[in-house]
Amino acid sequence: QAQFVESGGGLVQPGGSLRLSCEASGFTFSLYAMNWYRQAPGKERELVARITSTGDTTTYADSVKGRFIISRDNAKNTVDLQMDNLKPEDTAVYFCKALGLPRWGQGTQVTVSS
């Protein structure tokens, strides 16, 4: 059964950076595309970034393009999200998820505030 443990969130000032990490287990990680989602208070969960199973193609929401970078390490079963030039509107709980699998992790809170 797929499991995801997200980490790396915290409180950061506008313009700052954070690096989120997701450790996956319970499935063959290297066969699945991986996604990062986020959910802000009172809003629907939205897709932030996706990376293919081999890591050769990435896609981003327009709101984070040029500021976030998704990457993965298939040897370690991890997928990371480097977030730079953070804005208050990036405040949310961030989740990773395998494309096509139903399970979600607990998420990690990111708060961007001065």
Side-chain angles (χ1 to χ4, degrees), residues 3-113:
Q3 292 188 331
F4 307 97
V5 178
E6 301 93 342
S7 62
L11 173 63
V12 63
Q13 292 186 343
S17 298
L18 283 174
R19 187 175 183 90
L20 306 184
S21 186
C22 170
E23 184 172 345
S25 61
F27 65 104
T28 307
F29 180 78
S30 61
L31 297 182
Y32 287 81
M34 292 296 298
N35 299 322
W36 279 98
Y37 289 83
R38 68 186 180 187
Q39 188 166 20
K43 295 188 177 181
E44 294 187 354
R45 197 167 293 186
E46 64 170 339
L47 178 63
V48 173
R50 173 173 292 166
I51 188 167
T52 54
S53 59
T54 58
D56 58 353
T57 301
T58 56
T59 54
Y60 299 91
D62 287 344
S63 58
V64 307
K65 204 170 292 184
R67 301 188 297 119
F68 290 12
I69 298 175
I70 188 171
S71 61
R72 67 187 296 159
D73 185 336
N74 284 348
K76 296 181 179 179
N77 287 6
T78 58
V79 56
D80 291 352
L81 187 68
Q82 176 66 41
M83 307 187 297
D84 297 322
N85 190 21
L86 283 160
K87 303 176 180 181
E89 52 263 42
D90 295 317
T91 295
V93 180
Y94 284 71
F95 303 86
C96 69
K97 184 180 182 295
L99 182 64
L101 296 181
R103 292 293 299 270
W104 294 87
Q106 294 297 310
T108 186
Q109 174 71 48
V110 172
T111 303
V112 185
S113 175

